[in-house]
Amino acid sequence: MGAVRFTEEDIERLAYERFHHPHPRVQRKLEGVLLKAKGFLVRDICDVVGCCPNTLRSWLRDFEAGGVDGLTRWDSGGKACELDPYTDAICDHLNEHPPHTIAEAAGAIEQLTGVRRCQTQVGEYLKRVGFKRLKTGSLPAKADPAAQAAFKKASCCPA
């Protein structure tokens, strides 16, 4: 790789974006490229930024290919969930008809959207959109509801 050429405008933008970009990994990339633009040695930049030389070279290639905009682009690499377009409809339906189990929720989602997901994926999706699992309590096997009601009535303060 030849020497990368930086303009004054590039250096100013790198200096600004390294603190103002919302993603910390992009800030780190910008910091490394800015230090290179200032003339620091690769090994010193890698020590300061905490990356290996190959990573720094990759960042410099990204800069050469797309400038500062090429560095600030952040692609997480994951793909979008197929259920995201249906989130409002799913939430409305599940609020009106709360499922008792994840399997029941998975069936309802499949019926609404036509998208089939395993129970683990449905559980993670529901957690991500704000639902939480509610565990119900149970009465002990020998409990007598009538005796409990009488006890509560007798132990309360007299009216």
Side-chain angles (χ1 to χ4, degrees), residues 112-127:
L112 279 171
T113 64
V115 178
R116 183 182 196 133
R117 292 287 177 256
C118 71
Q119 291 181 23
T120 305
Q121 291 173 326
V122 169
E124 289 175 7
Y125 170 76
L126 292 176
K127 188 175 181 181

Side-chain angles (χ1 to χ4, degrees), residues 49-158:
V49 177
C51 70
C52 68
N54 288 337
T55 302
L56 181 60
R57 285 186 203 97
S58 172
W59 294 346
L60 291 170
R61 278 193 302 273
D62 290 345
F63 176 78
E64 279 187 323
V68 178
D69 291 330
L71 289 173
T72 57
R73 201 172 325 115
W74 180 256
D75 181 21
S76 63
K79 61 181 193 177
C81 179
E82 291 181 34
L83 296 175
D84 284 343
Y86 305 105
T87 297
D88 292 335
I90 291 170
C91 290
D92 291 343
H93 178 76
L94 294 181
N95 281 327
E96 291 174 16
H97 312 291
H100 295 300
T101 62
I102 295 292
E104 192 177 316
I109 289 172
E110 183 179 359
Q111 189 175 25
L112 279 171
T113 64
V115 178
R116 183 182 196 133
R117 292 287 177 256
C118 71
Q119 291 181 23
T120 305
Q121 291 173 326
V122 169
E124 289 175 7
Y125 170 76
L126 292 176
K127 188 175 181 181
R128 184 169 53 87
V129 296
F131 285 92
K132 63 181 180 178
R133 185 171 170 217
L134 300 176
K135 293 184 179 181
T136 57
S138 61
L139 290 174
K142 298 179 182 177
D144 181 14
Q148 287 179 349
F151 174 77
K152 286 180 185 177
K153 190 174 187 179
S155 65
C156 286
C157 299

Side-chain angles (χ1 to χ4, degrees), residues 10 40-41 50 96 146:
D10 289 337
F40 285 85
L41 297 174
E96 291 174 16

Side-chain angles (χ1 to χ4, degrees), residues 19-45:
F19 292 118
H20 294 92
H21 194 277
H23 201 285
R25 289 187 184 166
V26 174
Q27 290 177 352
R28 187 170 158 228
K29 285 171 40 169
L30 294 164
E31 178 79 16
V33 174
L34 177 65
L35 291 174
K36 184 63 179 169
K38 298 279 186 170
F40 285 85
L41 297 174
V42 170
R43 70 171 181 267
D44 295 335
I45 296 170

